[in-house]
Amino acid sequence: MHYLSKRTVFLSLMMILLLVAAGCSSSGVAQNNVPAASETETSVAAAALKLHPASPETVATSTESLGAFSLDEIGPSDIVDVAFVESKVKDSGWVIIDARSAEDYAKGHIPGAVNFGGKGLVTVLKHPMDGRVLPAEKFAKLMSEMGISNDMDLIVYGKANDYHVFIEGSPLYYGAKSFHYMNGGYEAWQKAGQSVETDPVKLSPATFTAKSVNPNMYVSTYQMAEIASTKDPNYYLIDVRSKDEYNGIGFGTTRAGRIPGGISYPVDINMDKEAGVLAVDKFAELYKDVPKDKTVIVYCHRGCRTAFSFLALRSLGYKDVRVYEDSFVVYGNWLDLPVEEEHFLNLRGDFKTTVERAEILWKEAGKS
């Protein structure tokens, strides 16, 4: 029985890789049927868009040049402490969002905090595959069902140093009054000796009307392709992934590497394991080389790790900070877009590594 189960695991892995290969082959055939770009459509972005039209499930789909944006156009988003949150617990104009899983929430949470359920906020307000922020209608429906309206101030917390919970500032993008991040997470609340509850909190349904305050807050893949291929000096790209990812080591897409021109600011530099997100004066030293007279665009793999850099730069007074919402999970799979430190998924070598890892996990589970 163990042998058959183990064999099933390996066959499943083989099927996944074969499907990936088949998908790549199918894509190649489809590309042969796409008309060549005309002489007036020779840009990398225009050519790529012919092969990869923007999905309606993507919030940033513009094929126009990136327009103007200022952080002053959206609601406030500050890094707040436990004392600030405690002062808002009984304030009806504020909603505290526990972004952890339903299971963790049930074990204890900040009094009055609501929870979106499932495995956490990031799995509800972002698509589980590519991590894209949900389209307006779906986003608004979920917020309304939770009893959150546009005129409420919001505070979100998760586990300590969990950047996922900021979900690319999407409530601000869709018109929330404010959206703040509680530093230190639930652990900081407990450490401060604050009271907790275990009963679920249900607010009365409300109306959240989602409309992008300024669509230029999010950069589309088309726009990023133009910026990367032209190396426009008016933009400053911040890559918040790990050093390995930045240097083309390890795979989360068909290709490893980085967007041309991206400067490495790994997410971990923004926080201390014990203290949480750093103080503003520490941010000032970290980001001293980031120019304030350029458009700053932050990206990672699925968008989540952009949170702390976004909050840090805003706290330092930067006005023009955007998020490349698709991030490298989409960019890296558009094979006709330029990539630095470009390396490709090696199905032969990496499949061998996958099988070896499966063997280890199987033994650890006591199935050998």
Side-chain angles (χ1 to χ4, degrees), residues 79-96:
I79 301 169
V80 299
D81 59 16
V82 167
F84 180 88
V85 178
E86 195 277 333
S87 72
K88 306 301 180 185
V89 165
K90 295 182 179 180
D91 191 326
S92 60
W94 288 74
V95 176
I96 301 170

Side-chain angles (χ1 to χ4, degrees), residues 2 9-10 50 105 107 134 146 153 157-158 171 178 199 243 252 255 259 272 294 308 328 345 353 356 362:
H2 285 169
V9 171
F10 291 148
K50 280 184 169 291
Y105 176 76
K107 293 176 181 177
L134 295 183
M146 291 301 297
D153 290 291
Y157 73 90
S178 70
D199 292 336
K243 283 289 187 181
R255 295 182 294 171
I259 298 174
D272 179 275
K294 294 187 178 184
F308 291 160
F328 204 77
L345 179 64
T353 302
E356 289 173 350
W362 195 263

